[in-house]
Amino acid sequence: RPFLYEFDASFRLSGLGEHHDEIRVRTGLEPTHSHRKGELRSPRSKMKPWQEDLWVLQSPLGDQASLDEHLDWLWSKIAPNKDYFAELVARSGHADIVLGCLTESPYPFLTTRSQSLQLLKELNVGVSFNVTFV
């Protein structure tokens, strides 16, 4: 039987807490997750507060979708406002696309079409990989 592969993808911006509300107003996008520097991690957390702001848009397509499908979904949401997001990336402390993979394979391959990487090219962001082996 083939190895298990489950994928996800998200776009992250850090260090832009003052722009969180503006992003929603200008783009209509709600972050999947966000927090601001200094906020507690949870109401009863004994951990240090967040050290930086974070705004995350994660693909909702689920773990059965391919990396291409996740990246295409992200691009479909960001492309209408790509110039604005490019400005935010330039001002951010850090920006990247996180590609997630849950797999049973001891040597996983993460493969995607070149068209799906349009998001990376247009916004000039890097890629982070989150690979979990089960």
Side-chain angles (χ1 to χ4, degrees):
R1 83 179 167 89
F3 288 117
L4 164 76
Y5 277 91
E6 296 178 353
F7 300 106
D8 61 72
S10 58
F11 172 61
R12 300 187 308 178
L13 290 166
S14 67
L16 294 170
E18 70 274 10
H19 295 286
H20 286 191
D21 293 333
E22 179 185 293
I23 294 170
R24 182 180 30 75
V25 170
R26 285 193 61 178
T27 69
L29 294 173
E30 291 289 338
T32 309
H33 172 80
S34 68
H35 60 256
R36 296 182 192 228
K37 182 178 180 176
E39 284 183 353
L40 295 177
R41 293 173 184 257
S42 69
R44 294 182 215 157
S45 177
K46 294 183 187 211
M47 296 174 65
K48 290 193 319 188
W50 291 109
Q51 298 298 300
E52 64 181 355
D53 305 313
L54 184 67
W55 189 92
V56 178
L57 182 63
Q58 183 168 352
S59 166
L61 298 181
D63 54 22
Q64 298 305 307
S66 69
L67 278 178
D68 289 320
E69 291 168 323
H70 286 294
L71 288 166
D72 292 347
W73 183 89
L74 286 172
W75 183 236
S76 75
K77 300 302 177 194
I78 292 171
N81 297 286
K82 72 179 181 181
D83 292 336
Y84 174 62
F85 278 108
E87 289 174 26
L88 291 173
V89 166
R91 286 191 255 163
S92 72
H94 181 80
D96 63 3
I97 303 299
V98 179
L99 301 179
C101 177
L102 175 72
T103 183
E104 296 171 326
S105 173
Y107 307 104
F109 281 85
L110 304 178
T111 305
T112 186
R113 300 181 330 259
S114 62
Q115 302 94 311
S116 296
L117 300 176
Q118 188 71 23
L119 175 64
L120 302 171
K121 293 181 224 174
E122 295 282 338
L123 296 183
N124 193 29
V125 296
V127 179
S128 295
F129 297 97
N130 179 10
V131 180
T132 304
F133 300 97
V134 292

